[in-house]
Amino acid sequence: MTMTDAAPTGPSTATDGSAPLLDVRDLQMYFPVKSSGLIRRTVGHVQAVDGISFQIESGGSLGLVGESGCGKSTTGRLVTRLYKPTDGSIHFEGRDIAGLGPRQLKPLRRDIQMIFQDPYGSLNPRHTVGRIIGTPLEIHDVVPKKQVLPRVQELLEIVGLNPEHYNRYPHEFSGGQRQRIGIARALTLQPKLLVADEPVSALDVSIQAQVINLLQDIQREFNIGFLFVAHDLAVVRHFCPEIAVMYLGKIVEIGERDAIYQHANHPYTQALLSAAPDVKQAAIGGRRERIQLQGDVPSPINPPSGCRFRTRCSYAQDICAAVEPPLLQIGRRHKVACHFAGEIGHHPAEPVTAPLLGVDRHGDRVPGTDPTPGLGTDSGYSDTWYDFPGRRMVRDESA
Amino acid sequence: MDNFLSVRDLRVHFPTPDGVVKATDGLSYDLARGKTLGIVGESGSGKSVSSSAILGLHRGTNAQVSGEILLDGTNLLTITDEEMRQRRGKEVAMIFQDPLSAMHPYYTVGNQIAEAYRVHHDVNKKAARTRVVEMLELVGIPQPDRRVDDYPHQFSGGMRQRAMIAMALINDPSLVIADEPTTALDVTVQAQILDLLQKLQREFNTGIIIITHDLGVVAEMADDVLVMYAGKAVEYGPTKELLTHPEMPYTWGLLSSVPDLTADVDEKLVPIPGTPPSLLSPPKGCAFHPRCRYKDQVAGDLCVTQQPDLTPGSRGPGHLKRCHLTDPTVPNEEEVARS
Amino acid sequence: MWAYIVRRLFIGVALLLALTLVTFVLFFASPVDPARYACGKNCSEQQRDQARAALGYDKPVYEQWGLFMKGVVAGRDFPADEELRAAAPEVVTHCAAPCLGYSHLNSSTVNDLVKEAAPVSISLALVALVMWLVGGVLFGILAAVFKGSFIDRGIVGLTLVAYAFPTFFIAVFFLKYFAVKWELWPYPTYVSLADGGLASWLGNLIVPAFTLALVFMAGYVRMTRAFMLESMTEDYIRTAKAKGLKQRKVLFKHGLRAALTPLVTMTGLDFATLLGGAIITESVFAYPGLGLLTVQASDAWDLPTVIGVVVLAGSFVILMNIIVDISYAFIDPRVRLG
Ligand SMILES: Nc1ncnc2c1ncn2[C@@H]1O[C@H](COP(=O)(O)OP(=O)(O)OP(=O)(O)O)[C@@H](O)[C@H]1O
Ligand SMILES: Nc1ncnc2c1ncn2[C@@H]1O[C@H](COP(=O)(O)OP(=O)(O)OP(=O)(O)O)[C@@H](O)[C@H]1O
Ligand code: SF4
Ligand code: SF4
Ligand SMILES: [Mg+2]
Ligand SMILES: [Mg+2]
C-alpha cells in the first residue's frame, strides 16, 4: 500500500447517510483594507475566514471556539448570509446559498436565524417586546394578523417570560430576560438553523445557566440545528456534541466532544484547553500543567506562511513554515490540521503529513511524488481515515 | 498570620433620588502579605465599590463610607485626602479591567508609567525612564526600550495589561487590587497574565485582591475567597475548602450553574432562578431568599423575616457563612444530580 | 500623513469650485438685473446694455463663472468685454491673480476692497477669539471643577443671560451706555495697527470684540464644562487618581487634554466664520470690515463684491477645516499613528 493511495479522500457523507442541514465548503471571507493615500486603493485583505469546511446535521449542534479575532463571528454572519462570502459554498438543505441576492434570501431568512451577544444592542429600544417578536410574523405572512399576538405570547411563554409583558419595552427587562427576548424573536419563524453568537457571554454567571438550559430545551423540542459561537470552552463543551477550533481564519481541529476535549491532537487546541481555568480541577488538585503560548495572535492581514500557528507553536519545524497542513481525518469523527499531530506527549518526531503532501521533512517537494489532490477540503467525515500512530488506513467498523 | 490589611464593617452607601443604594453593607475581611483574596459575585454585588474604597476613590463624591480599613494599622477612612493620595499607587495600587480605556490615549505608555513612579519618587525623567524600561522588561514586554515610547493603542490587549501591571508594581506596593484584570482578554493571554501576577507576587511579596466573576480564576489564584451577594459577604473562607465544600445555597448555585471541562455533559446545569436584587430595596430577611431553593428547609419563615448573621462554617477556622440552614451539608441539587 | 494632507487639499479645492459655481448660479437666478443697478437711475436702454457688456453680464452664467475662475487662477483685465477694452484702453484695470472680480460701483477691484476690509475683520476676529477662548475655557473648567456648587450655577446662569440677548442688542447697549452716556470708554472707531500702534488698535477693538466674543464665550463655557465633565468620568482619570497624582495634575494633564480636543474643531470653524466678517457687530460699530462690505454690497446689488467676499469667506472655512483635521493628527496619536 502506498501512502498516497491511502489518502482519506472518500466521499463525504453524514454518518447516517442523509444530506446534512448545512454543508459549508472552503468558505472564505476577505475584508479589503484600504490605503490612506490619495486614492483609497485596496492594499491588502483581512483574511477573516480562509477556507473552512464543516457540516451541521439537522438538530445537531456545532460549537465554534477560538481566540478573539479568529473569525468566529464572521463565520456565523456568513452562514446567516449577513455577509456575502468571498469564495466557497454554503449548502443549506442541499441548495447553495452563498451567491444568492437579497430577494432570493428572503425566504431563507425564515429558516436561518441569529442570536446576538449583546442582548440590548440588538433590540430596538423604541419597540415593545410584542412588536419586536411579532414583526417577523407579519413580514413573512406566517399567521393571520389576528393570531400574531397569541403567537407572540406563546413564544414569550416558551422562553420563560411572562406572556402578559408583551407591551413592555426592552429596557424594562434584565440582561438575561433581554437575551430571552432575542431568543424568542429568533424562534418566531420556526427556523431550522440557529446561529448563536456568544449568546451568554454578556450575562452574569447565575443567568448564563438559565439561558443555556433554555437553548437546550428549544433545540430538543424543535429539532433546530445550532452553530454555537463562543469563546468559553466549558460552555461549548456542555452545549455541543461537536466542536471546531479556529485559529486565524482556519479550522485547526474539529471533532466530537471527546475527540477535542480528551484527545486533542493540535498543539493550539491543547494550549487553549490548558489555559482555561477550571474550578473543579484547580480547587481539588491544584493546577494542571499549563502550556504557555508565547506572544499574541498575528495579524490576519499578513498571516504567517504555512501553518498559521507556527509563530507560537513549540513543535514548529521547517515544514510548518513551508507547507500548510491540511485538515485530515484522524478518527471516526475527528480531523486535525497539523504536520505533527498527536496527543500531548505523543507528537511525532517526523511530519506525518509529508508523504501525503509529496514533500520531505523540510517541506521541500520530493521529485516524482505528487500531493494528494483535494486533501482536507471535505466538509464531512469519511468512514475510512488514516491512523497516524499506526501509520495505516482504518475503516469504521460500525459503519 | 500577620494581616496587614483588615477591613471591618465597611459600608459604602450612595444616596440617590430613589433612595440609598447600599452598594457595600458591612463587609469585613483580612489579608496577609503575599497572599491573595478573591472576591466573587454577580454584577452589581458591590465588588468594585468595596475595593475602590480602599484607594479612597470615593472621596469627593457623594458616597457615604463608614467602617474601618486598616492598612498596617492606619485607618484609611480617617486620614486626610493628602495622606490618602500619598498612599495611592505607593502602598495600594490598582489594575483595571479594560486596559485600553484605563490608559490615556494621548500619552505614551512610558510616560504614564513614569508618572506613577515620579509622584512618589523624587527622580529626574531619565532615571524614571530607566526604571520604567526595567519594569516593562520584568512584565515581559519584548524590546522594552523601544516599546516604552509607544502609545497604548499600539499595544495588544495582553501587552496593555502587562503595562498596567508594570504601572501598578513600579512603586512596590504592599497591596494590589486587580479588578477583573483578565475579563477583557483571551484565555491564552489570561493564562499569561495570571501567571505573571503570581510570579511577581512571589517576587515582591505583594498582597493581592482579585475581583472577578470567574470562579475558575479564583480557584487558580486565590488563597481565600469572599463571595458577595447584594453588597454583603455571604461566604468567606480558604479557597480550596470553600469551592469544594461550600455551605450556603448561593455559593452552591454559583458552582452548579457554570459548566466545567470535566462534568458530565448529559447533566443539565442547575441555574439560580430569578435575577439579582435591587440594592435600593434589597429583600427583607436573607437577601437571597427570593431565589433560594432551600428556604423551605429552614424552620418557620426565618429566611424571609430575619437576616442571617455571618457565622462560622464547618470547614475549619476562617470559614464563615451567612445562612439559616442548620445542616450545611444538605445535598445540593448538583450533588444529587451527579450521584 | 502627507498623502492625507494632499487629499484633503484636493477635496478643499473641489469644494471651493462647487462653492463659486453655486454662488454664481444663485445670484444670477435672481430676477433683479444687476446691470440696472450698476448703471444708475436714469439709464437708457442702450447704456444699460453697454454696462451689461462691460460687466460681462451678457454672457451665460457658466462662461462668467469660467472667467471668474480664470481670474482667480491667472488674473484678468476689466471691463470683461474685449471690444470695450480695445475701444477704451485707458479705462482697463488689471486685476492680478487671485482676482476676485471688479466692482463697477466702487470703480475698484474686489481685491482692493477686500484688502481694505479684511484687516478690520481679522483684527476683530483675533481679539474676540482670544477673549472667548480664555474666558470660555477658564470659566468652563471652573464650572466643571466646582460642579453643582454656587460657582458652577452662577457661571452657567451667566451664560444663559449672554445667550438670551442678541448681539445686536448688546452692541447697541455698549455703544449707548459705555461709550456715549457714561463715557467709560472712548467711542470705538477702527484704527489700524500701522496707523495707531498696538495700544490704539487694541483699545479701539476691545468693546466691539467683547460684544462679538460674548455669545461665543457663553457657548464655550458650556462646551468646555460638558467636555470636561465627560472626560473626568473616563477610566483613565480613575487610573490617574489611583496612581496618586495630585488633583491639579489629574485635572489638567489628563482631564483637560482630552476635553480640549473637540474644542479645537469648534474653535477653528467659529474663527473661520468670523474671518469672513461679523456682519452685525461691524454694522453697529461701523467697522469697515468684510461684514460691513458685504452688507453694503448686497444693498447696492454690487454682485461682484458679494461674490468675491462669499468666495473668500468660503475659502477661509474650507481651509480652516483642513487645518483642524490636520491638527487632530498632532493632538491624537491614534490618528497620527493609525
Ligand atoms: N466588517 C469587517 N471589515 C473588516 N474587517 C473585519 C470585519 N469584520 C471582522 N473583521 C476582521 O475579521 C477578523 C475576524 O473577526 P470576527 O469578528 O469574526 O472575530 P471573532 O472570532 O468573532 O472574534 P471575537 O471573539 O472578538 O468576537 C478580525 O480580525 C476582524 O478585525
Ligand atoms: N456613584 C454611584 N452612585 C450610585 N450607585 C452606585 C454608584 N457606584 C456604584 N453604584 C451601585 O453600586 C452597586 C455595586 O457596584 P459595583 O461596581 O461595586 O458592582 P460590581 O460587583 O463591581 O459589578 P460588576 O461585576 O458589574 O463590575 C451597583 O448596583 C451600582 O449600580
Ligand atoms: S503544523 Fe507545525 S506549527 Fe502548525 S501546529 Fe502543527 S507543529 Fe505547530
Ligand atoms: S438563609 Fe435561607 S434564604 Fe438565605 S440562603 Fe440560607 S436558606 Fe436560603
Ligand atoms: Mg465575535
Ligand atoms: Mg466591577
Side-chain angles (χ1 to χ4, degrees), chain B residues 296-314:
Chain B
D296 299 340
Q297 299 178 23
V298 173
D301 53 0
L302 216 54
C303 293
V304 183
T305 54
Q306 199 183 332
Q307 154 130 238
D309 289 329
L310 208 52
T311 51
S314 59

Side-chain angles (χ1 to χ4, degrees), chain A residues 204, chain B residues 14-16 21-24 41-50 62 97 179-180 211 213 279:
Chain A
D204 247 316
Chain B
F14 297 100
T16 70
V21 176
K22 298 180 178 169
T24 301
E42 289 173 86
S43 184
S45 55
K47 307 183 294 293
S48 300
V49 164
S50 62
N62 65 346
Q97 169 172 357
D179 193 347
E180 311 258 7
I211 301 172
H213 60 265
L279 294 181

Side-chain angles (χ1 to χ4, degrees), chain A residues 130-131 133-139 142-155 188:
Chain A
R131 181 145 170 227
I133 301 174
T135 308
L137 288 174
E138 288 168 27
I139 291 178
V142 190
V143 291
K145 255 214 151 59
K146 270 209 304 246
Q147 279 168 34
V148 169
L149 183 59
R151 175 82 183 125
V152 165
Q153 292 187 315
E154 190 189 330
L155 283 161
T188 322

Side-chain angles (χ1 to χ4, degrees), chain B residues 196-216:
Chain B
L196 174 68
L197 267 178
Q198 283 182 324
K199 183 191 119 200
L200 294 177
Q201 172 172 42
R202 279 193 295 274
E203 205 167 317
F204 290 88
N205 199 28
T206 324
I208 295 182
I209 296 179
I210 186 164
I211 301 172
T212 174
H213 60 265
D214 188 335
L215 288 167

